[in-house]
Amino acid sequence: MSKITYIDEAQFKNKRVLLRADFDVSLNPNYTIADDARIRNNLPTIQYLLKNHNRLICVAKLDRPKGRDSKFSLKVVVKRLHQYLPVYKVKLVDDFLSADKKLFANQTEKEILVLENIRFYPEEKKNDSRFSKKLAALSDVYVNDAFAMCHRTESSVVGVPRYLPAYGGLLLKREIETITKTIKKPKKPFVAIIGGAKIETKITLIGKLTEMADYVLVGGGLANTFLCAHGYEIGKSYCEYEKVAKARQLLFLAAQKHTAIVLPSDVVIGDPNNSENGGKVVKVDQIPRGAVALDIGSETKAKFGAIIAKAKTIIWNGPVGYFENPAFRRGTDFVYYAIAHNQEATSIVGGGDTLAAISSKEYLGKITHVSTGGGAMLEFIEKGTLPGIEALKK
Ligand code: ADP
Ligand code: MG
């Protein structure tokens, strides 16, 4: 059976390495770096490759630019990377297609080249094979350490490894091994907490979780679609009405599998743009017309808390409320503390917004695995593999 070779198993040295890195840091409104966890998570791989005298050419995307857009330049990343690796020169390659070939030919061991935001090239998302070949031509080997990108069938993720010896990085290894070990034979009770807004991106996963988990706790905007499926009035709350039928079907399926889908029994209603007034707790059958549900209520917190406290395996993705407004982040904080305080359980937490909601908190070390992947983690749990992982198997 084909499998991935990770860089600490492969014995290569003195190579030109194309590293698919994850530098997709979160940005402040003025486009400076808000949180550089993604860069830090790739440092072990970068340092390992450098120690073995390889010359690094990093490929990454930042945010979602529509074509070339200087706001999303990797300049900020290059600067930060240099701060972490002060003895190395870190150079941004503005356009690798038109760059002087000498830049690559003369690269020294003490120089890291970072290609400009790869999403500036429309070929990237199209997984254009000519584009992939041009990227591959820059190096001798390919290494992927961008777990959070592995669900994407893009050129730098699945295209390039077709043309080069391909390896997995150390972050990729940790993500794949920890998540696989946890979900292959989950200790019971297995509790999944799913929040966030868009149910569309998570509904197949919830379906899969009803087969795997004992409890699926649903909060956040997507809980509203389930409440709607139950026939509750949800006022002006976020809801995807076209998914209500699917939600109803899931509730039915879960009942057959003896999995409990636990929905909020009370919610905090309020004004999303007002943080002065903390909102009001109402039962789900008493949501007034026109009200907006923005967080789980106290009874729901107690219910979720009791289930999380008894869990042996926990997976959490998605804030259970509109946490960007501090008035509506209490439910999400509560879920976080409930998980951190259950030291008997193996816990996996992931998702871009989920991590943003908890990134400055104490006790993060008490969570077994904080995944860098959002969509990638969910799809990996659902399918057991990802296109970017398959592309590395030789
Ligand atoms: P992740 O990135 O962790 O996978 P999602 O992107 O699915 O999470 O969802 C996060 C978003 O969901 C946040 O912007 C949050 O404000 C929003 N959200 C959560 N609960 C609600 C709610 N009740 N109403 C509106 N938005 C919500
Ligand atoms: Mg998100």
Side-chain angles (χ1 to χ4, degrees):
M1 212 173 66
S2 58
K3 65 186 264 301
I4 300 183
T5 306
Y6 295 103
I7 53 171
D8 55 346
E9 300 156 355
Q11 304 289 339
F12 63 81
K13 285 190 169 119
N14 305 306
K15 298 283 189 201
R16 290 181 306 159
V17 177
L18 194 76
L19 173 65
R20 186 27 167 119
D22 184 357
F23 294 153
D24 204 0
V25 292
S26 52
L27 296 172
N28 292 312
N30 64 353
Y31 301 99
T32 55
I33 296 179
D35 179 70
D36 69 359
R38 287 249 167 101
I39 297 179
R40 280 184 277 119
N41 281 316
N42 266 178
L43 286 177
T45 289
I46 292 174
Q47 279 155 337
Y48 185 92
L49 291 168
L50 291 171
K51 195 182 76 194
N52 286 316
H53 308 285
N54 297 294
R55 282 168 292 163
L56 290 192
I57 301 165
C58 301
V59 182
K61 71 128 176 144
L62 177 59
D63 219 297
R64 296 182 178 89
K66 293 188 177 63
R68 197 166 266 271
D69 179 347
S70 60
K71 293 198 293 291
F72 301 109
S73 167
L74 284 183
K75 239 181 227 156
V76 285
V77 168
V78 163
K79 207 169 146 207
R80 187 61 57 92
L81 201 56
H82 178 61
Q83 286 166 359
Y84 285 118
L85 303 161
V87 296
Y88 291 86
K89 225 186 197 167
V90 188
K91 272 192 195 163
L92 184 70
V93 182
D94 185 55
D95 175 22
F96 76 97
L97 294 173
S98 65
D100 188 346
K101 295 280 171 285
K102 277 194 221 136
L103 185 69
F104 295 97
N106 299 340
Q107 183 185 3
T108 70
E109 254 185 57
K110 287 281 170 241
E111 234 170 50
I112 299 170
L113 299 179
V114 178
L115 306 191
E116 185 55 287
N117 195 337
I118 202 68
R119 286 266 184 96
F120 284 1
Y121 303 88
E123 295 95 330
E124 163 72 354
K125 260 176 116 67
K126 292 186 197 138
N127 187 19
D128 180 286
S129 58
R130 280 177 53 205
F131 184 72
S132 299
K133 276 183 201 162
K134 284 179 192 160
L135 275 169
L138 300 175
S139 71
D140 310 312
V141 304
Y142 169 86
V143 173
N144 186 349
D145 207 29
F147 177 73
M149 287 302 300
C150 282
H151 59 317
R152 304 262 183 225
T153 50
E154 300 181 4
S155 194
S156 69
V157 180
V158 298
V160 183
R162 293 171 53 190
Y163 305 111
L164 289 172
Y167 304 94
L170 303 175
L171 172 68
L172 203 75
K173 181 177 182 178
R174 184 157 56 88
E175 293 270 14
I176 292 173
E177 291 187 351
T178 327
I179 301 175
T180 305
K181 201 171 88 201
T182 308
I183 60 169
K184 224 178 192 170
K185 262 201 171 164
K187 283 182 278 163
K188 304 248 164 184
F190 178 175
V191 177
I193 306 117
I194 304 294
K198 276 206 215 136
I199 197 166
E200 201 193 331
T201 56
K202 308 196 182 183
I203 202 146
T204 49
L205 173 84
I206 297 174
K208 177 80 190 184
L209 286 173
T210 58
E211 291 169 23
M212 300 163 67
D214 302 297
Y215 297 89
V216 181
L217 316 184
V218 183
L222 51 84
N224 298 336
T225 306
F226 281 96
L227 292 174
C228 208
H230 266 301
Y232 295 117
E233 157 81 50
I234 55 160
K236 287 209 168 73
S237 309
Y238 181 90
C239 179
E240 284 153 82
Y241 289 98
E242 68 289 356
K243 294 284 181 238
V244 168
K246 178 84 199 177
R248 196 173 290 134
Q249 194 187 349
L250 274 180
L251 291 169
F252 179 69
L253 264 177
Q256 283 185 323
K257 306 251 182 238
H258 303 288
T259 300
I261 293 189
V262 185
L263 300 178
S265 49
D266 58 353
V267 291
V268 181
I269 55 171
D271 174 358
N273 301 315
N274 180 355
S275 60
E276 300 299 313
N277 180 339
K280 183 175 163 214
V281 180
V282 296
K283 296 273 191 245
V284 291
D285 58 358
Q286 285 161 19
I287 300 175
R289 259 169 189 270
V292 187
L294 294 162
D295 199 2
I296 55 174
S298 7
E299 184 185 25
T300 306
K301 280 194 273 188
K303 226 165 43 168
F304 281 15
I307 296 168
I308 293 169
K310 283 188 296 191
K312 289 282 189 311
T313 303
I314 302 169
I315 288 175
W316 177 30
N317 165 260
V320 295
Y322 180 58
F323 76 96
E324 289 92 339
N325 182 334
F328 307 108
R329 68 167 297 142
R330 294 192 188 97
T332 300
D333 283 346
F334 179 89
V335 167
Y336 166 73
Y337 286 111
I339 295 172
H341 282 287
N342 181 343
Q343 285 302 288
E344 300 289 306
T346 304
S347 47
I348 298 182
V349 176
D353 293 287
T354 310
L355 295 199
I358 66 171
S359 71
S360 57
K361 291 217 172 290
E362 70 277 41
Y363 313 138
L364 274 180
K366 291 189 189 261
I367 290 175
T368 314
H369 183 63
V370 178
S371 176
T372 53
M377 179 187 89
L378 299 182
E379 198 174 316
F380 185 69
I381 292 172
E382 193 180 314
K383 302 189 175 138
T385 188
L386 294 170
I389 293 172
E390 289 306 301
L392 297 175
K393 292 186 177 169
K394 298 263 155 107

